[in-house]
Amino acid sequence: MFDLLVILIPALPLVAVLLNGLLGNRFSHDAAHRLACGSVGLSFLSAILVFAQTLRTGVVREVMVYRWIFGGDLTVNLAFLIDPLTCIMLLVVTGVGFLIHLYSIGYMHGEEGFTRFFTYMNLFMVSMLLLVMGNNYLVLFIGWEGVGLCSYLLIGYYYGRVSAAKAATKAFVVNRIGDAGFLLAIFLVFVNFNTLDYTQVFAQAGQLSTSMATAITLCLLIGAVGKSAQIPLYTWLPDAMEGPTPVSALIHAATMVTAGVYMVVRNHVLYDMAPVAMTTVAWVGGGTALFAATIGLVQTDIKRVLAYSTVSQLGYMFLACGIGAYTAAIFHLMTHAFFKALLFLSAGSVIHALAGEQDIRKMGGLRRKIPWTHGLFLVGTLAIAGIFPLAGFWSKDEIMAHAFTHGYYVLYVMAAIGAFLTAFYMFRLTYLTFYGQSRVDHHVAEHIHESPGIMIGPLVVLAVLSVVGGFPGVPPESGWFHHFLHPVAAAAGEEPAHGAGVGLLTMLMVIATLIALLGWGLAHYLYSVRPDAAQQWAARAPQVYTTLLNKYYVDEFYDLVVVEPTKRLGLLWDWFDRSVIDALVLGVGRMTQSGSALSTAFEKYVIYGLINVLGYGNHRAARSWRKLQTGKVHHYAAIIVAGLFILVHLILVWWTGSSGVGVALK
């Protein structure tokens, strides 16, 4: 029964993909979304049952589906590893995914390509589930590439818009850079262990030299940096906001972008052997957390502010991994999924109410017109800002406390500054959107309305989770959540709870709370008490403001250094293709023109004559042979393959008969 439940988790959304993808044009919109949402809902129910049994027994299980690749030294099975880490990821992916699917019914109502949207969403769920459930690197990589493909399809959902098409292409290309590093890591793993199964690799990890462990983990980090939008491969994520808001919530806030964090934690046995890689992970995370937070201070698009917030929060998770706080990283991954999905979907509710408007400079005063959305967005803001006792407080404080108590003081300061900036720009976003004077266009203002229940309902559930989602980790580093994950996510030699004094931990919690309150207070002063003060500050430092508004000109730098030179190289290759390759091919063609008349006469008088004679002698047989000429390429391909098999068979029969091998085998 347990194995069946495990297989059903990815199988149910896969069935929905096949039905909606192949027969969707025959379904009504109601049938399409019921199939899509129902499959994810049943998958979530199966995940709960699997989690409950794993929590009760504590047994790690491998569920074999079928033998996939076997030959030589390589054996890869399509199999799933069910352990505490997998169970937490399953609950996050299917639970948050189900709520976002429900929300999408209302948000995407009336959109062209409604069934196509849900097909892509279900396909993403299948890929993400393969990613977190696979028991080996190859299944992980299939899911890894699958979510990348679905990201491309969903970001470019409005393919008629040039900006959406460019954003989808950018995400696809940037992720391929990271995937190249990931593939190198997989090759190195196989070369060193002759297997790709996690359990066998981790059991033999002690045989690796430090240099080889460093090489493997740094290559894995390249893949994680691309997928989880860390410096320097973060630029695709803000542009990905061109997709529909539910896509932003599901793929670019709660699930796909956390794949890199999951992958690092899954391979923590290897990272523990590579101090250089660990340090690199920590500094990449800390730098990204602070860097992205500064950009979020001045952005004016409601979804882009949240996008840079996502990049920053992912930085906290990487920082946690780099200092050995793997459980804290997964804890923050979980709480972040709750409040960031809530924030994105609430932003979608605002956009829905304002007929597509996303510029916060054209909002304001919405608190009374859409009160449910305002209240729910405020809960998400309090959670991400780290206000006690909401979910974000516990997970973020644990990362910062771990950094301080383990001597990473510079990283602690960076995280603290990032926490202050997070509170500031999130409350800035809240005040500019919901408070003050209305800046909404008067034509739009006449039609502002609260979102329907199918959209508000999932927001309420996410708001509750954003409030109570941190309690599984209370008290810090010794709650049941940490004990549950400890067997599979503890750093080498780490105990379930550290010996830091209660007084020190309490002081750090108070400091974290004060940091969040200071950020809130400054935002309240600049955007509520003295609305003109923010503009005055910007005017005093125009260069700083412009630099932040233009995101440090990183995109322009990449265009200058990478994109344009690559385009020029492409033009050079195009010239070589036309001037050299095509010239050779055309030259060969011209050489045959001199014999074309003879060839035509032979074909006309000999070949056609023979066919006519045979056809005259047996007209019925000729008509039968003529049916083979269907004009369909796949028919010809099938005939060629069949012919090759027959030819190979005849050759083998002749060879074994002439050499006597066949007689010997008998």
Side-chain angles (χ1 to χ4, degrees), residues 290-300 304-309 360 421 424-426 428-429 548 551-552:
L290 184 57
F291 179 79
T294 60
I295 297 176
L297 294 174
V298 299
Q299 298 303 305
T300 57
R304 283 186 177 267
V305 174
L306 297 177
Y308 281 105
S309 170
I360 58 177
L421 297 178
F424 174 79
Y425 68 66
M426 284 307 305
R428 166 186 176 266
L429 179 62
L548 294 178
K551 302 157 288 187
Y552 293 98

Side-chain angles (χ1 to χ4, degrees), residues 193-211:
F193 297 102
N194 285 327
T195 181
L196 294 177
D197 286 356
Y198 294 145
T199 52
Q200 297 181 46
V201 169
F202 300 153
Q204 303 174 46
Q207 74 184 37
L208 278 182
S209 65
T210 301
S211 59

Side-chain angles (χ1 to χ4, degrees), residues 188 192 207-218 273-277:
L188 289 174
N192 284 274
Q207 74 184 37
L208 278 182
S209 65
T210 301
S211 59
M212 181 54 65
T214 301
I216 293 174
T217 49
L218 286 178
M273 301 176 60
V276 172

